[in-house]
Amino acid sequence: MRDLFTLSVLVSTVAAGIRLATPYLLAALGETIGQRSGVLNLGVDGVMLLSAFGSYYVVLRTENLWYGFLAGAVIGLLMGVVYGVITVVFEAEQGISGIGIFLFGLGFSDLLFEELVGTPTPLKVRLEEVAIPGLGSIPYVGDAIFQHNPLTYLAFALVPIVTLVLFKTTFGMNVRAVGENPQAADSLGVSVAGVRFIAILIGNTMAGLAGMALSLGLGIFQPNLTQGLGFIAVALVYFGAWRSRGVMVGALLYGIVASLVLQLKTRGIIPLEASDLGAMAPAVLTIVALVVLARRIEAPAALARPFSRH
Amino acid sequence: MSKKVVLKLIGALAALVFIAAACGSDDAVDDAVDEVTDAGDDAVDAAGDAADAADDAVDDVTEEAEGAMEEEEEEEGDADDGDAMADAGGNMLTVECGETSSFPAASEPVTDLTVAIVAPSAEDDLAFTQSMVDAVTALGIEPQLTTSTFVVEEAAAAIRGYAEDGIDVVIAHGTQYGGSLEEIAPEFPETSFVWGTASETQGLDNVFAYTPAADQGGYVLGTVAAKLSEAGSIGMVGPIEAGDAALYVDGFVAGAEAEGASVNVTYTGSFGDVALATEAATAHVDAGSDILTGSAQHVVGAISVADANQVPWFGTQSNQVSLSPDLVVASQVYHWEVVLTDIFSAIEGGTLGGEVFELTLENEGLVIEFNGCFELDEEIKGGVGETIAGVVDGSISTGQ
């Protein structure tokens, strides 16, 4: 146990936790915007898989990370258009539509991978860690917090930006309005469909970034790479009470607990016999924290309700 | 377009129908379902016709190729044709630098039985599923495949579907499919089900079981890893403590400890979570391990960590050289064709199940494949044959 509390181990644990938290955070921040506008998207995992494959495949062929970044973001955006048409234009039931998107993403990314790649092939270029000048050289703290890949920095930079957009801009006010009372917003001249559509586009693009962070960060793709990560991201939105700061805390909690459990296993502190119980720890702790700590902030009143003037 | 691709496209269309169900009226949904069903039937028919035409073409080509091969053999006499291997044969070999597989392609099928495989991960996963697909293909059989069945219920539907289609042998390649087979196998007494990894047939007369003694190869690799490790510390990334993964871990630990090294084992709790496997491997390297190993399809992440840190890697299930051509020292490769040959013979003889088969170093179902690109000290490599002999004759215990 004493080994665990050395500074180098703690630094490794925090650094790994931040890496693990990154895709959760990107996806959950995007979902926060969507849910604030009243749109539930259970298809996040499917969008992540498609973007993860798309960016991986482009980088595999071109060895250019910028092209991969573009591909991942565009795929997320396009899936946003699809989901927007389904849920906003056709006013479909959002829960079932999201599951359909997830199944489509899961199956189609698998199909594309098998037809276009086949055997898992490591990328020759991947997202590398970049030390932030000045901060990256701070002993221990720099190693833990300021030496990550650019998408990790982007994810955490988006936390205050999303807060700013949601609470300090007209667009953010409209998003919250159509999520709480779309009829009232409509009567005041706000385009409910338009605002929701844009929120969906932003959310899906961020889900695309999350998938890209996974495949380009790992430098490889294989079928079902996300392993249900997108569903946990949706849960983290509830955990974070639809606020970006809360979502960040949830993502970090999940990532750092997962990282801590790995360290405990690696050092034999969690015996092999209890290994499976240890693997459940992040999910269990998150649920417990959700029950114990969750503030009584209610979900957007019109969440998952299609809007129709009729 | 292969039947598999057609079926996957139908799956994707089905997902879209699912979405349509959320959008429209019942009639519209019914229409959409009918359209997809019709399109699926047409596509499968078309794929069937294409497959028949392809079969005819393959027959023609095969006949021509056989003729050409016979002529070539006459010209070359008994010349060695296994040039992918430096010292091929038996339960230990070295794969030439740049080569990745030791599965020779059979010129003709060993059986006329029709075979289908249902497996949990991708057919090219460089691990569990690929080992079976490679083995069946090596026997000259072109199996029907349903892979990436992450959900057991999906696998059960595929197993039942193949049985209903009259496939002779359905290979249910996953321990988790046992419960489904218990229900399905009695309904199809004329079909032989081959299930693994499993050490018993659940009392079913038309189920064969197979299991690898993965501890044996694990032990051998553990001794090599221990001799190679300067730190005397090896990191192991396992999935779930069960089945052949646990056997491999136990055997590897016993082998490494017999040579004085310690092994830190981390079970991630998942077969496919690449991110967790990556972080587990990183934690091992941070903790001072200078050798890494692991099992299951999630090790692609762990191998990338080995590659990035220039740490040698030991693999199991399939040859994993392609993931790190310079750092994979050796892999324990499952050659299921050894037991499948016996199983197919039994089926042709009228026995559809009731027996358990095991891959071992002795029957050469387990093969230790060294990577020709990795320069391993000859002294270390020279002792491997002795270790294998000890495991085979029982003078060395793998801890099981």
Side-chain angles (χ1 to χ4, degrees), chain B residues 114-195:
Chain B
T114 51
V115 179
I117 301 172
V118 179
S121 49
E123 64 186 273
D124 302 307
D125 66 352
L126 292 171
F128 187 65
T129 298
Q130 181 171 335
S131 69
M132 179 56 78
V133 175
D134 283 348
V136 174
T137 308
L139 294 174
I141 300 165
E142 192 176 336
Q144 294 197 37
L145 287 175
T146 299
T147 53
S148 302
T149 48
F150 307 109
V151 180
V152 172
E153 285 72 20
E154 288 178 12
I159 292 168
R160 182 182 292 280
Y162 285 131
E164 286 172 347
D165 288 349
I167 297 291
D168 299 316
V169 186
V170 180
I171 300 174
H173 194 48
T175 309
Q176 64 271 37
Y177 304 151
S180 304
L181 277 185
E182 201 171 6
E183 180 187 322
I184 296 168
E187 296 176 31
F188 299 93
E190 302 300 316
T191 304
S192 179
F193 296 90
V194 183
W195 171 47

Side-chain angles (χ1 to χ4, degrees), chain A residues 162-178:
Chain A
V162 169
T163 301
L164 203 68
V165 169
L166 280 177
F167 294 97
K168 301 289 182 189
T169 67
T170 307
F171 171 72
M173 190 179 69
N174 288 341
V175 166
R176 289 183 288 127
V178 302

